[in-house]
Structures are given as C-alpha cells and as structure tokens.
Amino acid sequence: MTPTHDVVLVGGGGAGLRAAIAIAETNPHLDIAVVSKVYPMRSHTVSAEGGAAGAIAPDDSLDEHCFDTIAGGDWLCDQDAVEAFVREAPQELLRLEHWGCPWSREPDGRIAVRPFGGMKRMRTWFAADKTGFHMLHTLFQTSLKYAAVKRYDEWFVTKLLVDEGRVQGVVAIDLMSGRIEAITATAVILCTGGCGKVFPFTTNAAIKSGDGMGLAYHAGAPLKDMEFVQYHPTGLPFTGILITEAARSEGGYLINKDGYRYLQDYNLGTPHKDPVFKSMELGPRDRLSQAFMKELEKGRTIDTQYGAVVHLDLRHLGAKKIDAKIPFVRELCKKYQNLDPVTDLIPVRPVVHYMMGGVHTDINGATPLPGLYAAGETACVSINGANRLGSNSLPELLVFGARAGQAAAEYASRKRDVTDTALLQAKDERLRLERDLLNTKGKERIATLRGEMQKTMEESAGIYRTGASLAQGVEQLRLVRARYADLAIEDQSLTFNTERVSALELGFMLDVAEAIITSALKREESRGAHQRNDFPKRDDRRFLSHSLIYRNADGSSRVEYLPVTITRWPPAERVYGEAALHAGPHHVTGSALPSGEGV
C-alpha cells in the first residue's frame, strides 16, 4: 500500500521542522510527513554557531535591519521579502524562547545581542556559540507534540512525482532496508539545505549535496541566482571547519604574515574600539574573502601544507571571555588544530559556506510548480541577494519555514487525488534506480568524478572568476556528466548502502554545479559574491535582475531574468567603516516586539 500524506517535507532540519509545526498549527487535521536522509538532530542546522539576527535593541529598528540586509546583498534582494523577514524574525526568535531555546542573557535577564558582519547595530541573538544546536533541539522537541507529524528518518528522496502540472509526492529509498517507495501527497516542501559539497573546501557537512535543488530542477522548477556562492573568511585549513563570525564580533583580529590588520587597506574601516561601525573584521563576508585573495596576490599570506592562510588573533580577549562567549571555538581549535586560541594564533582561510541561490520561490515559499514549496538554504526567496549577512540565515529558516508551512497547509486543505500517471512515474523511477544502482558494470569511480567536479568548481567559479575560466568549467563539467553514466557501483547490499547514496548525491551535485557555472557565465558584472575580473563593475542597467535557470527536456539549460523587487531603497554604493555612519535610512528607535515582551 502506497504511503499517503497531505504534506511531505523533504528535510528534517530547522526549516523542515519549523514548517511541520506551522502546518500542524494551521490545520490540525492534515497528515504530515517529514522525510529526511539523516536523523533530524544530525541535520546541518545543528552546526550553526554564531547567532540569529532580530532587531530588538532600543537603538535598533526594522528599517536599519532592512537596509543592512539589502546593502549587504548588493541590492539584489527582493525588498518586499526583506521587509517581511525583518518584521517577523524577532517574533520567531521570541517564539523559540517560549518553546525553550536557551538564549544567552545579559545580567539583568534580557536577551543578549552581539554585533555581526555588515550590520551597523547589535542585533544578533545567540546561545553562546552553539546557537544552531540549541535551535534545532528546540524545534525537534516542539515537533514531538504533534501526533500529525510522522517521520521517515533515513529515507533518501530521489524524485518528485509531477502530473497534470502539479506535484503529487515523492519517490524515496528506505536506507535501512533498501526498499524503494512512492510517498504521495497533495503538497511537498523542500527543506534540504545547501550544496557546499560541490566545492572541495567547505564548512558544509557531507550531506549538503544540493538534493532539493536537483529535485526541483528535474521537476521543471527554476533555480534562482545560483551564481552567488558565499565564502566564509575564517575556515580551518584542511578540515574546512568554521570558526564562527562570533569570534570576530567578540573582538578577534585578522592579521597577515606581518602581524598587520590588513582589512584597513580595503575600505572596511580602521582599528577602533567601536566594534560595529569601525572594526573592519566585521565587514561583510564577500569583502573579507576578496581581501584575503588580494593579500595572497601581494605575498602577505602564510604558506602551509594546506595552502595559504592568514591568522585570526583572539589572544587579547583572554580565557574568561573566550570560555564565556565562544567556548566551542576553543574546543574546535584544540581538537582539530592542536592549539589554544587563548595563547595561539588560529590559521584560517576562506571556505565555501552558503548558497544565496536556490529553488525559486515567492514570499510564501511557493515555487512556480503548483504543490511544490521550498524553505531554508535550498530556497531563494530572495532576502540574501548577492551576499548573505551573517546571522540572517537562522531566522530565515524560521520565518520562511513558517510561511511555507502555512501556505502548503492551505493548499493541501483542498485535497487532490493522486493520478495513475504519477503512480506509473513512481514505478518507472523504481526501475531506473534498480537499473542504475544494481548490478552495474561501469568503469568510473564516484570519488574520482566527484573530485574532478570539485576541482573544476574551485578553479572556474571561485572567489574571482573570468568568462574564460567559466566557459572552460562548463565544458569540463559536461565531460564529467557524460562519464557519470558509466559509474561502477560495487556494493550490492541493501542495508545502508552508502555507495548508492553517494552515486545519487553526485548526480544532484552535477546538476547544481552546472547551474552555478552556467549562471555565472551569463552574468557579466561583479556583484557581491560574484566577482568577474573581466567585468569588474556592478551593472545595474543590465543585471539588476535575478537569474532563473531552467532544465530543458533534452537535459540542456536556459537562463532567463526576473526584475528585482525594489520598494523603498534604490540601488546605491555599498559602504562600510566610517562611510557607513552616513549611509542608510534615518534612524528610528524602538523594539520590533510588542511592548511588555520580556526580552
């Protein structure tokens, strides 16, 4: 008997769990399934460290959070979505407080906030430096209250069922048994996270392989702004483990081989006691990563066996502050670098961290394909534009997870029958998986092709790009794609066959990689995280637009453009440091929360 639900969520991380709760609250009569390839508490949300942005401080305002986000995104953000996001973010964070999230607090009991990169006010809520860990635990425990939420833990979704122009469910593999099942539904929400593993050096866990983006792409939904890939400036060499931006928000310095705070040379401010306006370490991530590359060109980085690095200096903070505010940073450094940031410099380098692009959705998480929704990093609303500000991603998955859940619940309340053709598609998918994954006699190794894809992405679509490098990357990926059809899969067992999962993930990653490079080749300008050496200026006349990449029936792709939504902030120059004091909206004080809320 085919399992049937009203709404299927693909992904059990922060966005998926918040959406599931929203569905249960919107319509308690709906049957909800959460299908996740890992146990929900192993979702990548758990690794987020620094915090979640929400304007609550007396000297902050919603307009300032809007402006910082829009300027940080180099004016590619849809401003209606940003306004909804900053309005609802504090409310969502407070809701998590009521559900039990242990936010760090000031001595008087109020919620503590810290500065974060690209933001001119202190507005980042945090739970020491394990914010994502505590948020995910809170969401998971809250989801257990709802009997309507059923979980398919360790199931891998391989296909969306689409007939009559609407999504009707998914096909998934039960990893424990190897059984292939159709799971039908009126609505599907993709919450599978990002795709950092298309690059060789990333903060992302191995599960971040772009599955949701690939599922939507094959089903006919476009991917939006895929050329914008964020590098985080402080990853540990070799492992790529993230040293959170909170280390710099608490006062850490970035220094080159000469011990010089080099960011003051890149229009990011000057050394000053004011951590928000004048500390260049709190510039946006794209600018800091680009500054590293300039230091590398000038020969002012430090060579190591894992490549060039600079140093993050926390020694002046002292053990007491480090242990109170960023204890996990100290733990990571001791375990993975055999050093103590209380006494030692931390070697760091830029590392792929986040996708600004993703499945194209509207402000409520709906894609152009009826019945299909997306939220979190796998989606592109877009509030992040060309560069996401640190601490905006955690409230994003709450705000738009809730919105997508509510919209999907309303859609699913008007139940629609599953067609026979959709069930036949499920049968065809089962046959395809058996053909491609069982008794294969190919010659190509998964790890070899994955490594070649990652090398191509790093060389062709890294921090700085050119038309020639991108065009070469397109051709190299086509060759890898052709070889992918001749995979060798030796493990023929059914229980937890990780080789088969890796083969399927590689297919999704190749789709995402091609979308990134193709979109980047078409965008002949430099904006945010997309920097073209052959087109070094931002071009609002031609490219103040979102890119939409579609998969054609023959497997090729096409790129179209959609205008950016501008409401109140016309495009302007991005400025940081001293100049930022005079940029942005007129300041309006006042909390974003209702009066009387205990924050």
Side-chain angles (χ1 to χ4, degrees), residues 571-590:
E573 182 183 0
R574 282 178 77 193
V575 290
Y576 295 96
E578 297 284 352
L581 287 166
H582 310 291
H586 294 298
H587 179 59
V588 180
T589 60

Side-chain angles (χ1 to χ4, degrees), residues 18-306:
R18 182 65 189 94
I21 294 166
I23 296 164
E25 291 178 336
T26 301
N27 185 342
H29 303 293
L30 293 178
D31 189 277
I32 307 157
V34 177
V35 184
S36 176
K37 70 177 177 182
V38 295
Y39 188 72
M41 290 312 304
R42 294 180 180 271
S43 300
H44 199 55
T45 307
V46 81
S47 68
E49 299 172 40
I56 58 163
D59 64 345
D60 201 359
S61 71
L62 299 183
D63 276 6
E64 287 202 302
H65 192 181
C66 278
F67 182 81
D68 288 348
T69 299
I70 292 162
D74 221 346
W75 271 269
L76 202 72
C77 310
D78 283 329
Q79 295 181 14
D80 58 341
V82 173
E83 291 188 71
F85 163 68
V86 304
R87 182 176 62 251
E88 296 171 21
Q91 299 164 14
E92 284 290 329
L93 297 175
L94 181 61
R95 185 172 288 113
L96 237 60
E97 151 84 5
H98 293 167
W99 288 344
C101 187
W103 299 115
S104 293
R105 309 186 96 84
E106 299 292 354
D108 66 1
R110 289 179 172 270
I111 296 290
V113 289
R114 60 173 38 136
F116 243 63
M119 296 192 183
K120 296 192 293 294
R121 300 286 171 185
M122 292 174 58
R123 65 171 63 99
T124 297
W125 305 36
F126 59 97
D129 56 354
K130 294 186 178 181
T131 307
F133 174 90
H134 290 297
M135 285 179 60
L136 189 62
H137 274 73
T138 301
L139 289 165
F140 180 64
Q141 290 163 4
T142 302
S143 75
L144 298 178
K145 296 193 307 182
Y146 299 98
V149 178
K150 300 172 179 63
R151 299 208 319 270
Y152 293 73
D153 296 341
E154 298 178 323
W155 284 63
F156 187 90
V157 174
T158 66
K159 182 181 177 62
L160 294 174
L161 299 176
V162 182
D163 189 38
E164 296 183 343
R166 59 186 172 91
V167 170
Q168 300 186 27
V170 303
V171 176
I173 303 173
D174 175 6
L175 299 181
M176 185 172 70
S177 66
R179 186 173 80 256
I180 301 167
E181 286 268 20
I183 305 173
T184 60
T186 302
V188 174
I189 309 178
L190 300 173
C191 306
T192 56
C195 57
K197 293 305 290 185
V198 302
F199 287 84
F201 193 66
T202 176
T203 65
N204 289 188
I207 60 173
K208 297 285 283 293
S209 50
D211 308 340
M213 298 176 192
L215 288 168
Y217 189 54
H218 274 264
L223 304 181
K224 181 164 68 181
D225 293 342
M226 293 298 290
E227 59 267 43
F228 297 103
V229 179
Q230 180 170 89
Y231 279 73
H232 196 291
T234 54
L236 291 178
F238 177 59
T239 62
I241 289 171
L242 177 69
I243 298 300
T244 173
E245 196 161 304
R248 288 174 280 125
S249 77
E250 295 298 338
Y253 301 152
L254 282 171
I255 58 177
N256 63 18
K257 72 175 185 180
D258 303 317
Y260 174 65
R261 291 177 69 186
Y262 60 90
L263 291 172
Q264 60 192 293
D265 296 345
Y266 297 95
N267 297 317
L268 290 166
T270 56
H272 194 278
K273 64 181 179 180
D274 185 328
V276 179
F277 289 113
K278 302 179 185 170
S279 177
M280 49 273 183
E281 280 82 8
L282 285 183
R285 292 170 178 175
D286 58 338
R287 294 282 180 87
L288 266 62
S289 297
Q290 292 154 21
F292 173 90
M293 296 301 294
K294 296 299 183 184
E295 289 294 291
L296 177 63
E297 291 173 6
K298 295 172 184 175
R300 301 199 305 209
T301 55
I302 302 105
D303 292 330
T304 74
Q305 65 184 110
Y306 304 118

